[in-house]
Amino acid sequence: MTDKKIKKLIKRALEAVSAEIESVRDKPAQDVLFDGVLSENHPPGVFYYEFESKNTSLRFAEVIRAEMDGYDEEVELYPVEISDEKAILHFPHNFGPSLPKVSLEWENDFVLRRLRTELQKLLDNDNRQTREQMGRLFYPDAGKHHRADPDTRVLDDSKRNEAQHESLLKALQNEVLYVWGPPGTGKTSTLGFMIANYLIKGKRVLFAANTNRAVDVGLLSALEALTSVEKEHLEKQATRFGEIALDSERLEKILFDRHIEEKARKQERKAADLSNLLGRYQKLQKEIDNLMDYGESVPPELDEEIAKLGDRLDEHGGEAALEEKVDRLITVNERMELERMQLVGTTLAKVCTSDLFDGQEFDAVVIDEASMANLPYLMVLAAKATTHIVAVGDPMQLPPIALAEDAEARHFLEKDIFTYASKAESTEDLFAWHDQNRPLTTFFDTQYRLNKDLADVLSTVFYEGRLKTATGDEQPDEHLTTQSVPSPTVNVIDSQKYGPELTQKDEGRGFSPVNEVHTAILTRILKRLILKNHVPVEEIGIIVPFRSTVYDIRGALYEQGMDAVEVGTIHTFQGREKKVIIFDTVMSGEGAYGHRRHYSVRPFDEEKNGLAVPRLLNVALSRSKDRLVILADMDHINKVYARKFLGRLLHRFQEREA
């Protein structure tokens, strides 16, 4: 691994990110929000509307273009507050107490531009050591990056299984570690103990993930692990940098912004006290100077008082030094405060966009959801790790996404760190790499969450049968529960008997399929689940493969009074669960000139999308806690995907139902 080779990789990343920026500008991000409410709290002359929204990328929009029903002209909006649950937007006019529907469009290139800047700094850095730190993650060497030590000891809750315990040991022994954790295998709780053991050893840790929710979950796991091993005093050295997504008092207490606000209040009080001391001294000195100017004697009490004040000033280095100290106390040095923290939890984007991370280093960098992260982000993160870098994820779940028109750039950006490091082109390649590089990798082979009938299919199809379901006598992770719902818990609903037909909306925004029959079936399924089976609406999720279909279904559910049901793409549900998941494949034959035209689409066709197809399907099918419903036109599936991954998977589920 030479510096020349690493520089070549960084240059490739720079070219890919530049191509992505151009494509993002050409293809603005879009969303549709419903039921906006005029906020009572807003500055004079401006108007804030609050919407329910899970689209956190809005926070990086510099200007948002909006269209509203009943208004001919487009308006410009600005983000005020964006969280995982709501979006507050600045509108130029008062559009009334509520807004039923707003269509949004914006350029999402802010983070990418900052990422490009960080990569350029890494390339231009005179210190080769920083690039070598980065290179370990991309060019792992079991001989160099693993040092077996039989004396290594870790603290945990005594509930870790063999693979989980192995990962804790390797995290302390290795310079680089890849943790492969399928759904429900206890990744998050084990990661918490991994971070806790780093902290106990006195190491400074950066914990990062793609989303705020994943950061929150992982950070809470680390805090719970510290409590479990009776080291909760270390929690005082932890901070959550950025916006929290979960409603958690524990996270609120360690929020960096809150720490800065409290620090500022303390310093302001101290500055006020010192300023009063300085003011009293200067006022008294002026009185004494006036007396002396008129030849009058200074009363002993004044002389004694100013002597005492002078002594107190001398303790601070004198009058000039005290003035400088007051000036310093007025502003909190945020960089210094961040450097004092032993554990920092934040998103990948924040590390790139906040100047406070510039030049900061950590003994260990732990990245959750690493298999979802574009390689350029991981370059920036890995360069900050002086001793340990840990990538936690599942290369058989969601891959990174990219929009770049340039095929080479897109291919590079859609590679994840597991497939890049292993040079894998298939599941078989990934497992072969894992088997040949055991010092650097760990595979979590026991799952506790999914129903066994679903887990068995996923294990066979996605994990070479290596993923087993915990039995009743095995001690599961306390945060996971082995399901015992009667089989089958997977239902494939074949829509072909209802005569579905695909149409497309002509909106000039790419592929926008509409399947009205499927939408009607979805609403019937939902009514049955909610009214007859009494499933809470917040425990139902609808997953579709196309962003445009999300908006269509949301609109249809809004009209039916079921808009509280969450609808999203596969990426929306990564790392989350619902009691019931409905996966609508959407596709049917498209009517044209009296005939039905059947064709494949990229999300379902491995010939067009490679290893991303099984990864996307794996995520879609592993989000349910109790029941999975798959809506598919099996006539279309058999015509187009019979011998492909999707067809084989659906047929396997149908066989198990029968």
Side-chain angles (χ1 to χ4, degrees), residues 37-163:
V37 178
L38 180 63
S39 173
E40 295 180 358
N41 301 314
H42 55 81
V46 299
F47 304 91
Y48 294 167
Y49 283 83
E50 182 175 327
F51 300 83
E52 287 188 8
S53 171
K54 297 182 182 297
N55 193 338
T56 55
S57 66
L58 278 165
R59 69 166 55 95
F60 299 115
E62 293 170 293
V63 179
I64 303 169
R65 297 178 294 278
E67 293 180 354
M68 295 172 287
D69 294 342
Y71 297 91
D72 295 333
E73 294 187 6
E74 187 180 82
V75 296
E76 288 190 350
L77 314 180
Y78 302 92
V80 177
E81 179 184 342
I82 309 295
S83 70
D84 278 24
E85 299 296 332
K86 68 179 180 181
I88 299 177
L89 303 177
H90 172 188
F91 280 68
H93 311 294
N94 186 341
F95 290 94
S98 63
L99 288 172
K101 179 181 176 182
V102 181
S103 299
L104 309 178
E105 187 175 273
W106 70 96
E107 276 77 40
N108 226 353
D109 64 344
F110 171 72
V111 177
L112 289 168
R113 285 186 277 117
R114 294 300 299 265
L115 172 61
R116 183 170 60 184
T117 300
E118 291 302 311
L119 289 171
Q120 192 63 54
K121 288 179 186 176
L122 188 56
L123 182 65
D124 297 339
N125 197 328
D126 293 333
N127 185 1
R128 294 176 53 175
Q129 180 63 33
T130 305
R131 286 189 292 275
E132 287 178 10
Q133 291 170 187
M134 183 215 93
R136 292 173 301 187
L137 182 63
F138 293 84
Y139 305 109
D141 185 329
K144 294 180 179 178
H145 300 147
H146 169 77
R147 293 177 179 82
D149 181 359
D151 295 325
T152 302
R153 296 290 182 270
V154 294
L155 292 178
D156 61 28
D157 56 359
S158 301
K159 296 177 181 178
R160 300 301 98 194
N161 62 37
E162 184 178 347

Side-chain angles (χ1 to χ4, degrees), residues 448-463:
Y448 305 94
R449 175 171 60 82
L450 300 175
N451 296 306
K452 190 175 186 304
D453 63 328
L454 173 58
D456 287 347
V457 173
L458 297 183
S459 176
T460 302
V461 174
F462 298 110
Y463 300 105

Side-chain angles (χ1 to χ4, degrees), residues 553-617:
I553 295 176
R554 282 180 186 169
L557 296 184
Y558 179 77
E559 292 176 1
Q560 295 284 333
M562 295 186 290
D563 49 303
V565 175
E566 186 175 358
V567 186
T569 62
I570 298 170
H571 289 81
T572 306
F573 285 87
Q574 170 66 29
R576 300 171 57 223
E577 304 167 357
K578 298 279 188 180
K579 279 186 177 294
V580 179
I581 287 291
I582 305 171
F583 177 46
D584 180 7
T585 59
V586 178
M587 295 301 295
S588 289
E590 184 175 351
Y593 306 107
H595 298 283
R596 293 278 182 91
R597 185 169 69 94
H598 294 269
Y599 53 87
S600 69
V601 290
R602 197 168 186 263
F604 296 151
D605 191 344
E606 53 266 39
E607 290 182 10
K608 296 178 178 178
N609 209 17
L611 194 57
V613 171
R615 296 173 67 160
L616 289 166
L617 292 174

